[in-house]
Amino acid sequence: MQSLATDGRLRRLVPRSGLDFSSNDYLGLAQAPRIKRAVATAMEAGTPVGAGGSRLLRGNCEEHERLEAEAARFFGAEGALFFGSGYVANYAVLTTLPQRDDLVVLDKLVHASTHEGARAGRAEMCQFNHNDPQSAHDAILAWRRDGGVGRPWIVVESLYSMDGDLAPLDDLVALAERHDGFVLIDEAHATGVQGEHGRGLAARYERRESVVIVHTCGKALGAAGALVTASRVLLDTLINRCRPFIFATAPSPLMAVAVLEALAILKDEPERQQKLAQFVAFTHREIVARFGETWSSSQIVPYIVGDNAAAMELALALQLRGFDVRGVRPPTVPAGTARLRLSLTLNVDEAAITALLDALVDEIGAKRSWRSAS
């Protein structure tokens, strides 16, 4: 612990307070009255809090099946399977579907859950340079030259959680199909935010047999859990062979109710997605006006500081001014890129965004070590 403290990487749990510039509740659905009413109504009708067992035992509830059927319709997929979290879903897919002779090819900046799943799985694994299809192609070719005979699994996020940039999905899907492989697309930060009615950036690939997509429910959908959408064959494989699915107690049926209502809200209230898009455009215009540069093009806005301790000091300074801004340090981000991860949600307004950026300018001016290292 002392070494972490010395390097500015010691983590502590801190209560939430101040204006929300750190959560992933992008559409403000975590406190949505419609979701609260849906859950309350379900409880009154007898829906249990806990499933009471795994899905293959008595834990398979009609709420799970209703959500999965609607999710498949909503996302345009052949089928869907509900997991307890995005972490579990990524881990489950990568420890089950890639086989011993396959290769898992990870973008270097994908979520930790995919790295852990790849390490725990049967297939060989390697990494490619962030958002670089040629680097992924080179890795696959090198594997083939060394005798690789299985299928490659390219693993990416559609919208990256710490940099706020988008993956070149067309090129990566084409690359996987060229090599008779698969793509796992983690839509965690795009579901609900990007695409028509919030269907995500990968919606056009939903019915391809070579594509598996993870839609996290604990971010823009305001609930918890994750939906894996894929072909029926791959979903049946998960049901029969996926240990995190077979041996885990099923997610709460009430959470399935909450996610189902969140999907309905995405269809019924497109103004939420539209308002967030306005906030994103406003914020990036204001950043250019103040700093003369852009930091991303999405609702995730990183301000790179570089030094771990300096990033945390800057975050604390903004917290003391009433803004819930968190510093992010390695290993969550690469060494030397400690940052503030500013998150835009409907829990604030343009006045709050303006106030935060003004405060950031003030604090940066007060200490040169807080100037962006980007």
Side-chain angles (χ1 to χ4, degrees):
M1 293 300 104
Q2 184 58 46
S3 62
L4 290 176
T6 301
D7 192 32
R9 293 188 295 124
L10 183 64
R11 288 163 170 78
R12 294 185 176 87
L13 296 176
V14 179
R16 64 167 89 189
S17 64
L19 293 171
D20 178 12
F21 284 98
S22 65
S23 84
N24 298 318
D25 183 27
Y26 303 124
L27 299 179
L29 292 184
Q31 294 287 338
R34 277 184 59 172
I35 293 180
K36 291 181 179 180
R37 286 196 297 270
V39 171
T41 299
M43 290 184 68
E44 291 174 2
T47 298
V49 174
S54 73
R55 292 285 296 277
L56 292 177
L57 295 176
R58 193 176 169 82
N60 186 43
C61 301
E62 61 178 331
E63 291 81 5
H64 299 132
E65 295 194 347
R66 191 180 304 124
L67 168 61
E68 290 165 346
E70 175 55 28
R73 285 191 293 270
F74 179 85
F75 292 112
E78 190 171 327
L81 198 61
F82 190 41
F83 285 85
S85 72
Y87 192 108
V88 170
N90 280 326
Y91 187 91
V93 168
L94 289 171
T95 53
T96 306
L97 297 183
Q99 300 302 297
R100 193 172 304 279
D101 290 334
D102 292 345
L103 175 70
V104 176
V105 192
L106 300 143
D107 185 295
K108 287 183 177 179
L109 297 188
V110 290
H111 281 127
S113 54
T114 51
H115 283 277
E116 294 302 320
R119 289 190 189 99
R122 293 172 294 232
E124 185 179 345
M125 65 169 287
C126 68
Q127 300 180 47
F128 67 94
N129 295 332
H130 177 54
N131 274 352
D132 185 346
Q134 184 60 52
S135 177
H137 189 208
D138 291 344
I140 295 170
L141 292 179
W143 170 65
R144 291 291 190 204
R145 286 194 299 269
D146 290 341
V149 297
R151 294 184 173 189
W153 287 76
I154 299 173
V155 182
V156 298
E157 294 177 42
S158 60
L159 194 167
Y160 281 85
S161 60
M162 289 295 145
D163 290 271
D165 55 344
L166 309 183
L169 293 180
D170 287 343
D171 292 339
L172 293 167
V173 171
L175 176 62
E177 293 182 342
R178 175 180 173 184
H179 288 278
D180 194 26
F182 294 86
V183 182
L184 171 60
I185 303 174
D186 185 347
E187 287 262 66
H189 296 274
T191 300
V193 174
Q194 300 284 339
E196 184 181 8
H197 292 299
R199 291 188 174 96
L201 291 164
R204 61 189 177 276
Y205 310 115
E206 281 282 5
R207 283 190 172 265
R208 295 202 187 190
E209 294 183 357
S210 61
V211 176
V212 179
I213 300 175
V214 175
H215 295 281
T216 300
C217 306
K219 296 179 172 60
L221 299 188
L227 291 154
V228 174
T229 56
S231 69
R232 192 70 256 172
V233 169
L234 293 180
L235 294 178
D236 284 343
T237 302
L238 289 172
I239 291 170
N240 284 276
R241 296 185 177 178
C242 177
R243 296 176 71 84
F245 180 83
I246 295 170
F247 296 109
T249 297
S252 166
L254 290 177
M255 196 52 60
V257 170
V259 175
L260 184 65
E261 187 65 19
L263 295 180
I265 291 173
L266 291 184
K267 290 189 295 186
D268 297 343
E269 302 179 19
E271 60 272 16
R272 287 180 181 266
Q273 186 183 3
Q274 294 161 6
K275 186 175 181 181
L276 180 62
Q278 293 170 3
F279 281 2
V280 170
F282 172 80
T283 300
H284 290 294
R285 287 197 304 270
E286 294 297 308
I287 288 172
V288 170
R290 289 166 171 78
F291 297 93
E293 59 185 6
T294 57
W295 299 342
S296 80
S297 59
S298 71
Q299 78 277 13
I300 298 167
V301 186
Y303 177 75
I304 310 297
V305 178
D307 179 77
N308 296 338
M312 300 310 293
E313 290 174 14
L314 179 53
L316 178 60
L318 292 171
Q319 291 163 15
L320 293 174
R321 295 177 69 149
F323 305 100
D324 190 356
V325 172
R326 307 296 176 97
V328 181
R329 298 150 290 174
T332 305
V333 295
T337 69
R339 67 195 63 187
L340 304 185
R341 178 191 181 274
L342 308 179
S343 178
L344 302 177
T345 75
L346 297 190
N347 298 320
V348 298
D349 56 19
E350 290 185 358
I353 294 169
T354 299
L356 170 64
L357 295 177
D358 287 344
L360 182 58
V361 169
D362 289 345
E363 295 297 339
I364 291 171
K367 191 169 184 179
R368 295 183 61 84
S369 65
W370 288 343
R371 295 189 183 278
S372 176
S374 61

